[in-house]
Amino acid sequence: TGAEAQSSDPWGEGKLKKEPECHMQLDKLFPNQNHTVLIDTNEFMAGRIVPHKGQHVWNSHFVKLPHNYPLQNGIESRWAVTEKALKERKLTRGASAKDVEMAIKTYNHKHKTDWRFNTLYRFYESGSRSYFSSVISKIAQLALTLPSLVQTKIPMLRQNQSHAITMSQEQIACLLANAFFCTFPHRNTTQPGSEYSNFPTINFSSLLSNASPRTLQKLKAIFYYFNTVTEEATKPKGLVTFERICLSQSEFPNWSKQKENMTNLHVYLNGFIEKEGQGMLQVDFASNMIGGGVLNQGLVQEEIRFIQCPELIVARLFTEKLGDNECLKITGAQVYSNTTGYSDSFQCNSPHTDSTQRDEWKRRYCQIVAIDAIKFDDPRQQYSEKNIKRELLKAYVGFKGDPQIPTDYTPAIATGNWGCGAFKGDPMLKALIQMMAAAVAHRDLAYFTFGNKKQAEDLKRTYKLLKSHKVTVGKLYNLLLDYCKHHHHHHHHVKSVSDYISEKMGVHPSQL
Ligand code: AR6
């Protein structure tokens, strides 16, 4: 990878649509029953970003915020203890890793012995002490602004409901500063049966604990992020929307009956979804627990994206595990770090200045959609009708545009080997599934093969065949079901899905 991206456009059907060029003007920003806005929308119309003043509640439908912790008779409030700890002289000037650990443990006694902070110590020892303590003091101050920045309840994005939350980048930064200092109550365990077992973790305790080259690189990026958001000159002044989209049964396509032909497909051998896919709907190869292992050791596509754009991490605070018919779409996230490499070779190199334009709601033109593929412990499991249908539905809920917006105003999709790394899917089968979902959603695709030349060639050939034979989604679906049977019956001489399809259409693979 690294070389300039090359696109194939065999049909000469032109360019893939991108934002902001294809952007359709938005209505005024206004809350409704499906959209919670954490800033005051009247003030917003006047050009100011001011927190919305609403009410707090303490129940399972809303985020349990640390400054809203119920008071107990005779005991100092948890937030008062937190405030004191974060205002400690040491944290405001000249803090060491030890000071941070001590502060966090004052309001997390239960973890006095099991939380270790090795990453933080390593990071502290390996870099400039003054940089460390100056960023730490800014994170602590930012965390303390929570009561003034978040003055209303934040709904949980629970399963089986479509709902969006729009908040300011400043509010996100403040929530993440609290996550860094592990102030979120009830969120330190996700053991089965615990209150948040169906949610990802949010407190940064595991990231700060498990020292490894990976977590050190992550922490470096996190420090860049906090440094950028706390400097007056670089502070982001916009909004971000997190939208859980849930399809109801009546909206599920009937795959074997769909009459659509394939939409345009541009295959890129090199390039990255987040870079060359700018302006398109960018796919996050997600875990059903949004962000996957970002606060742990995970460092593949999703985690890298979340580390480059830490604002995405706040989704973990309120997004319940994704169901098969659901996705999470995030609009407006910003890139804060330049990184290279992947997995063990991943490195965070420098802070990034993001100059992406903003829409009318002051959100950066950046749309990311999190869809989680199935993890196939045994890759043979993927060749079944049930699993193909599940992956089609998941891709479709992610790709389906807003019904209010005509497809002319809907950007193309930037994707690649979704579900084919950690989750062990078959890249050709997954590409066909994504092509079918995109066809039903009437959107074009940019497909990045991440440097795999053979795959890029195969994909272009198979696409050409489907186009020239005017194969519809329904027809392809039925071919895939036939292929499942073939796969089932032939353990040893099993054909690849692309060879199987071309043979079925009377074309010998060598003729392609
Ligand atoms: N742009 C384009 N293609 C990429 C990029 C990129 N930036 N990064 C990777 N690829 P993987 P999965 C290609 O394994 O199998 C995480 O822990 C590359 O070919 O990240 O869906 C999540 O939280 C790579 O092999 O996705 C989930 O738990 C392939 O995409 C789990 O991994 C798949 O990337 C998801 O695993």
Side-chain angles (χ1 to χ4, degrees):
T1 62
E4 197 168 291
Q6 283 214 334
S7 142
S8 73
D9 183 14
W11 307 92
E13 284 174 359
K15 287 167 73 177
L16 296 172
K17 285 204 292 289
K18 289 183 185 178
E19 296 241 60
E21 294 80 22
C22 73
H23 181 72
M24 189 169 94
Q25 195 174 351
L26 298 166
D27 289 338
K28 287 214 170 73
L29 176 62
F30 214 69
N32 62 43
Q33 59 173 16
N34 300 317
H35 188 182
T36 302
V37 183
L38 299 186
I39 57 151
D40 184 317
T41 49
N42 290 322
E43 291 282 350
F44 188 70
M45 271 189 269
R48 288 180 292 269
I49 299 181
V50 176
H52 169 71
K53 291 189 178 59
Q55 266 166 10
H56 287 298
V57 293
W58 186 267
N59 67 40
S60 59
H61 300 293
F62 297 91
V63 173
K64 290 184 174 169
L65 291 162
H67 60 293
N68 191 30
Y69 198 91
L71 293 173
Q72 286 164 291
N73 265 347
I75 300 180
E76 191 177 18
S77 87
R78 192 176 188 275
W79 184 248
V81 175
T82 306
E83 274 186 315
K84 233 188 255 166
L86 298 185
K87 279 182 188 156
E88 251 277 297
R89 194 188 62 82
K90 282 291 212 154
L91 281 197
T92 50
R93 244 180 66 216
S96 66
K98 179 89 190 155
D99 298 316
V100 176
E101 172 178 5
M102 303 242 286
I104 292 175
K105 286 185 172 173
T106 54
Y107 43 88
N108 285 293
H109 319 267
K110 274 195 193 146
H111 298 281
K112 253 199 153 88
T113 51
D114 63 327
W115 281 1
R116 300 240 175 270
F117 298 90
N118 293 345
T119 320
L120 194 72
Y121 277 87
R122 230 19 122 71
F123 186 73
Y124 173 65
E125 283 150 15
S126 64
S128 144
R129 307 241 155 138
S130 65
Y131 171 70
F132 180 92
S133 56
S134 96
V135 178
I136 286 294
S137 90
K138 292 192 287 182
I139 306 175
Q141 284 167 42
L142 181 59
L144 290 168
T145 60
L146 188 63
S148 66
L149 279 179
V150 179
Q151 301 197 27
T152 190
K153 54 193 192 294
I154 306 176
M156 289 297 203
L157 301 181
R158 288 227 173 237
Q159 284 182 1
N160 295 313
Q161 55 193 46
S162 295
H163 194 91
I165 305 175
T166 296
M167 58 179 100
S168 69
Q169 290 178 291
E170 190 181 11
Q171 288 172 322
I172 294 174
C174 172
L175 290 165
L176 289 177
N178 277 278
F180 180 93
F181 277 106
C182 308
T183 70
F184 287 104
H186 298 204
R187 296 298 291 261
N188 291 331
T189 173
T190 51
Q191 296 291 314
S194 68
E195 189 176 354
Y196 291 97
S197 58
N198 231 16
F199 284 81
T201 59
I202 180 67
N203 287 329
F204 282 18
S205 41
S206 55
L207 180 67
L208 301 175
S209 295
N210 307 318
S212 74
R214 292 182 179 202
T215 46
L216 273 170
Q217 293 301 318
K218 291 184 183 187
L219 202 54
K220 197 171 165 192
I222 295 295
F223 268 63
Y224 284 151
Y225 166 72
F226 282 121
N227 200 34
T228 303
V229 299
T230 50
E231 281 295 316
E232 202 42 52
T234 51
K235 210 182 210 167
K237 299 190 174 84
L239 310 185
V240 179
T241 301
F242 298 83
E243 183 180 15
R244 186 184 193 108
I245 303 170
C246 176
L247 275 194
S248 61
Q249 194 103 32
S250 64
E251 297 170 286
F252 292 6
N254 184 344
W255 296 102
S256 64
K257 302 242 161 63
Q258 297 296 143
K259 299 261 183 292
E260 296 84 358
N261 283 115
M262 298 304 132
T263 47
N264 295 314
L265 172 77
H266 291 212
V267 178
Y268 296 83
L269 168 59
N270 297 312
F272 298 87
I273 291 170
E274 64 273 27
K275 195 153 167 259
E276 281 74 15
Q278 267 176 44
M280 299 185 216
L281 174 66
Q282 302 171 11
V283 178
D284 162 14
F285 303 158
S287 153
N288 53 16
M289 295 288 199
I290 190 80
V294 63
L295 297 181
N296 236 303
Q297 301 291 329
L299 201 42
V300 286
Q301 196 252 10
E302 172 165 59
E303 290 92 353
I304 292 175
R305 191 70 205 257
F306 277 54
I307 285 300
Q308 294 167 338
C309 308
E311 286 159 350
L312 299 171
I313 298 173
V314 84
R316 295 168 68 86
L317 183 60
F318 45 71
T319 310
E320 193 175 14
K321 185 176 181 177
L322 296 174
D324 291 346
N325 56 334
E326 301 181 309
C327 69
L328 184 77
K329 190 171 155 190
I330 303 114
T331 308
Q334 179 169 328
V335 179
Y336 292 89
S337 289
N338 295 312
T339 73
T340 51
Y342 195 74
S343 238
D344 283 331
S345 69
F346 175 83
Q347 280 202 310
C348 173
N349 302 314
S350 54
H352 178 83
T353 309
D354 193 332
S355 49
T356 309
Q357 289 175 48
R358 295 180 186 274
D359 66 15
E360 300 90 330
W361 295 1
K362 296 213 169 109
R363 301 176 304 183
R364 302 246 182 227
Y365 282 107
C366 171
Q367 293 184 19
I368 298 171
V369 69
I371 50 173
D372 54 300
I374 305 178
K375 181 174 183 186
F376 294 111
D377 291 321
D378 172 1
R380 276 177 308 185
Q381 292 165 346
Q382 67 194 298
Y383 307 105
S384 76
E385 176 168 15
K386 180 169 160 269
N387 287 335
I388 289 178
K389 257 174 112 165
R390 190 278 181 195
E391 300 296 68
L392 279 166
L393 181 64
K394 178 61 76 165
Y396 179 68
V397 65
F399 296 175
K400 190 177 174 299
D402 179 340
Q404 315 274 318
I405 301 178
T407 46
D408 274 356
Y409 295 91
T410 308
I413 297 153
T415 190
N417 294 335
W418 171 53
C420 300
F423 282 2
K424 300 195 198 129
D426 169 345
M428 184 57 78
L429 177 61
K430 273 292 198 298
L432 294 171
I433 286 173
Q434 294 187 81
M435 279 157 64
M436 291 158 76
V440 178
H442 305 290
R443 297 175 87 155
D444 296 335
L445 280 174
Y447 196 105
F448 296 89
T449 66
F450 217 54
N452 189 329
K453 198 161 178 192
K454 179 170 180 312
Q455 193 205 346
E457 296 307 320
D458 271 1
L459 188 55
K460 282 188 225 174
R461 264 204 304 271
T462 307
Y463 174 70
K464 214 162 142 186
L465 183 75
L466 297 173
K467 272 302 237 196
S468 60
H469 285 66
K470 301 203 165 49
V471 177
T472 61
V473 170
K475 170 100 195 279
L476 182 53
Y477 180 71
N478 289 318
L479 277 168
L480 291 181
L481 297 193
D482 291 343
Y483 178 69
C484 292
K485 287 187 200 127
H486 163 82
H487 207 279
H488 210 72
H489 293 307
H490 298 77
H491 278 296
H492 296 298
H493 303 287
V494 46
K495 298 187 174 88
S496 73
V497 62
S498 48
D499 285 357
Y500 182 86
I501 288 173
S502 51
E503 280 183 33
K504 278 278 160 169
M505 293 186 348
V507 183
H508 191 272
S510 65
Q511 287 173 268
L512 283 171

